[in-house]
Amino acid sequence: MPEISKEQLRKHIKTGSFAPVYLLHGGEAYLRDIAARTIADRAFAEDELREFNDDRFSLSDPDDMVRALAAAEQLPMMASRRVIRVSDVRVAAAANRDTLKEDALPRLEKYLADPCPSTVLILTADELNGNRKATKLLKQHAAVVEFAQLEGRELEDWVRRQFQDYGAEPADGAIRFLIATAGSELQRLSNEIKKLAAAAMPEGLVTVEMIEAVVPHSRELSNFDLTDHLIAGRKDRALKVLRKLFDDEAEPLMLLGLIASRFRTLLMAKELMDHGVDRRTVAKRAKIFGPGADDVFAAARRTDRTRLTAAINKMAAADLAIKTSVGGGKAGSEMQIEMLVCELAEL
């Protein structure tokens, strides 16, 4: 099935002419997840019994693919459709990083060849390697929609529309300053836009001075972006954030310490969770608090312990190289961190 545009997807949603299978992928997870949620919301009429017909699965547990397909084959109960959402799909360059495993492909191929007409199956993919059999199979049968990361004018237009939706108006230069300050990730931009729109009331004008006072500087945000992309195996995006941090004069040893701290936290959480320790105790011992706690727990669940251990060993080697003549001064230290980022993303 050919790839469809986001505009064509909007027409599907508006008219209710849904494809039996959607594959939503690309770097902009925020828009991708909104699309999956909107399809699910619009697939049901107001008087239909949604709670028995809307199921979610995550391939952080690879066995969920088979469970999801079994659910997709069931007839809806007191509704015209069933909606099955499968998140955390990854088909990487290396099979050991896949969440869509080879042994699930025959079952998936059988379903895709003859999908249930009363089911809308929505797959959201974090990574799709075009050379792999699983990717080719999905693209052959699903309505594929790519959500690429917004940049340039497209990103600025999105920010402007968000402000308008909240009844606010950005002053000259405010949109570019906000993007430069908060970064280009839409989830974070959305959160900052909400705060700024509220702060601008009753006049509704968002100024550069207001952004400077309300929005945290991008370096702090980019630090977390870097580790998040590494954990998810998004090498290109991790390198992009790293170069931005170097341009912002971030110290290589500071970045190494940040990365190491995040991976040690994940390893500690993984060990405790594998031993059946409850979430509250894990959070206390591993010091996992704040609004990003759910993301840390999700990453710990889906990340292999061997991978975390190997990552920490590589960080120790990079630390030694930077602190000895191998590092070669500032340029050499930055090169060591860049090499480390590439290796961690490919584990």
Side-chain angles (χ1 to χ4, degrees), residues 52-53 71-79 81-82 116-119:
F52 291 111
N53 298 287
E73 290 174 336
Q74 297 175 16
L75 294 175
M77 181 184 297
M78 298 178 66
R81 292 189 181 93
R82 289 181 63 80
C116 180
S118 57
T119 293

Side-chain angles (χ1 to χ4, degrees), residues 177-185 188-189 192 215-216 218 221 244:
F177 186 76
L178 173 60
I179 294 170
T181 303
S184 60
E185 187 177 345
R188 290 199 171 107
L189 279 172
E192 299 303 339
V215 179
S218 61
L221 298 176
K244 179 180 178 183

Side-chain angles (χ1 to χ4, degrees), residues 27 32 41 43 45 55 57 59 86 96 100 106 118-119 156 159 163 168 193 214 231 246 267 274 289 302 320-321 343:
R32 189 186 68 201
D41 289 344
D55 294 314
F57 299 87
L59 292 197
V86 182
N96 65 333
L100 180 54
S118 57
T119 293
E156 292 177 18
V159 171
F163 274 123
I193 289 168
V214 172
I231 291 163
F246 282 150
L267 181 58
D274 285 351
F289 304 108
R302 68 173 178 261
L320 180 62
E343 291 174 348

Side-chain angles (χ1 to χ4, degrees), residues 33 112 154 160 163 173 183 189 202 205 207 209 220 259 261 267 277 308 332 338:
D33 293 345
L112 293 176
E154 191 177 15
R160 183 175 289 104
F163 274 123
L189 279 172
L205 182 65
T207 64
E209 293 74 19
E220 178 184 355
I259 297 168
S261 175
L267 181 58
V277 178
L308 293 173
E338 187 167 342

